[in-house]
Amino acid sequence: MAAATKDAVLGSAVELAREVALGLAEQPSDVGEHLGLVVEGERLVSHRFACTARGYRGWEWTVTVARVPRARTATVCEAELLPGPDAVLAPAWVPWADRLRPGDIGPGDVLPFRADDPRLEPGWTPSGDPELDAVAIDELALARARVLSPEGRDEAAERWYRGSRGPTSAGSLASAAACGSCGFLVALRGSLGTVFGVCANEWSPDDGKVVSVDHGCGAHSETDVDPVPSDWPAPDPLIDEALLEIVEPEERAEPAATGAAPTDAAAAAEETPEVDEPAADEAPAVDEAPAVDGAPAEPDTDQGP
C-alpha cells in the first residue's frame, strides 16, 4: 500500500481546525500555537494545537479534517484532546482487587470472598475417633470451614519475623533480654507458638501484638535500669548537736614503769577518804545544853567520858 501524500487543501485548513479547537476549550486562551499536522491517510489530515490549560501540560488539541475526491473544501471529521509525547498522564488503571494493599481496609469495608485462596485449606472433618477429634477441635481449634494452609502459615511467619516485631528491629537489638523469658508473653497454639507469642504488657510498645520469642523491648519483666553514677559530690554527713550528748573520755593515771601494779586492797585504801582524829592531849568535846531564860547552861553529867 502506497504511503499517503500531503494534501494541499487539507494542509491549509489550519484556521478551520483552530475554530473547532476553540469551540472545545473552556477558555480561548487554552488553545495555543499550531504544532503541525499529521497525515493519517489518503485525503485525511490531523492538525495539532498546544493545550495551555492548567493541569494538561503536554496535551494537544487534535482536529482531523478530510475531503472527498476532486473536492476543494475540507470537512471536519473529529476533534479531541489527546496526550502528546511529553504529556502528564495518570498511572495505568489497575483492578481494585490487585491494587488493594494491607492496611487499606477501613471500618465498614468488606473484602470479596476468594474460594481459591492459596493461604487457606479445608478445616478438620470429624473422623469419629474421640482422641483425634478432641485434639483437632478442642486443642488446635481446627473445626472451621477453612484454616491456614502451610503456604499461608509460612507467609505469616516470614512476614512477622522480618517485620518490626522480629529480632532485627532497632528496639530488639537495644534490649537486654528476649521476649522468650518475659512473664508477659502469651504463647500461641500450634506450630506458630514455637516461634511467636502475644505481648500482654501495657507498658510495652508491642502490647497486644504478635512478637517473636527472640524479640525484645525495654519493658521486659526481669530486667532493671542500670544504676547511673551521679555527677554531684556526696554531701557531708549532717550532725545535729542539739540531740547528741557529748561525753568526754576520763583520763586515768598510768602506774609507774618500775613499780608493781597496785593490789585491790591498796587501791581501796587509796580511795578511802582521810578522817581527822583528835589529839591525845585534847579532851573530848562535851555537848552543852542550851541556856534557859538567861541562866548559864549546866553540863550534862549523864554522858560518860
Side-chain angles (χ1 to χ4, degrees), residues 284-305:
V286 178
D287 295 337
E288 297 180 354
V292 180
D293 297 337
E298 295 292 338
D300 188 0
T301 56
D302 294 338
Q303 184 175 1

Side-chain angles (χ1 to χ4, degrees), residues 1 5 19 23 45 51 56 73 96 102 113 182 202-203 205 236 255 284 297:
M1 182 177 179
T5 59
E19 292 179 1
V45 174
C51 179
Y56 288 88
T73 305
W96 177 80
F113 177 79
C182 182
E202 64 176 334
W203 296 104
D236 296 333

Side-chain angles (χ1 to χ4, degrees), residues 43 46 90 236 238:
R43 295 184 298 276
S46 294
D236 296 333
L238 179 62

Side-chain angles (χ1 to χ4, degrees), residues 229-252:
S230 176
D231 295 335
W232 293 93
D236 296 333
L238 179 62
I239 300 177
D240 191 354
E241 298 183 354
L243 300 178
L244 298 179
E245 181 181 357
I246 308 300
V247 179
E248 298 292 341
E250 296 182 357
E251 295 182 0
R252 295 183 179 181

Side-chain angles (χ1 to χ4, degrees), residues 48-271:
R48 300 180 297 112
F49 300 89
C51 179
T52 57
R54 299 180 58 183
Y56 288 88
R57 181 178 63 84
W59 287 67
E60 301 171 353
W61 299 103
T62 304
V63 180
T64 303
V65 293
R67 71 178 181 88
V68 297
R70 294 186 296 274
R72 297 298 179 181
T73 305
T75 304
V76 177
C77 295
E78 60 180 2
E80 55 188 341
L81 182 63
L82 297 177
D86 298 330
V88 178
L89 301 176
W93 184 82
V94 179
W96 177 80
D98 297 335
R99 67 174 181 265
L100 193 65
R101 291 294 178 265
D104 293 344
I105 302 300
D109 295 337
V110 179
L111 285 176
F113 177 79
R114 294 179 59 182
D116 57 347
D117 195 334
R119 301 170 300 172
L120 299 174
E121 64 182 8
W124 178 263
T125 301
S127 62
D129 189 336
E131 295 184 359
L132 292 178
D133 292 344
V135 173
I137 297 175
D138 299 336
E139 297 184 11
L140 301 180
L142 299 179
R144 289 167 285 168
R146 292 189 296 177
V147 296
L148 274 178
S149 65
E151 181 180 351
R153 186 165 52 250
D154 294 342
E155 287 184 5
E158 183 73 16
R159 184 173 64 253
W160 293 347
Y161 199 78
R162 301 301 179 189
S164 60
R165 295 174 182 87
T168 58
S169 63
S172 180
L173 296 176
S175 62
C179 294
S181 59
C182 182
F184 294 103
L185 182 70
V186 180
L188 300 178
R189 291 188 299 182
S191 58
L192 289 176
T194 61
V195 186
F196 301 100
V198 178
C199 179
N201 187 356
E202 64 176 334
W203 296 104
S204 172
D206 304 320
D207 180 34
K209 306 297 190 304
V210 176
V211 296
S212 63
V213 294
D214 49 359
H215 180 66
C217 70
H220 195 280
S221 62
E222 309 304 323
T223 59
D224 196 1
V225 179
D226 296 333
V228 179
S230 176
D231 295 335
W232 293 93
D236 296 333
L238 179 62
I239 300 177
D240 191 354
E241 298 183 354
L243 300 178
L244 298 179
E245 181 181 357
I246 308 300
V247 179
E248 298 292 341
E250 296 182 357
E251 295 182 0
R252 295 183 179 181
E254 297 182 358
T258 56
T263 61
D264 294 341
E270 292 179 359
E271 293 179 359

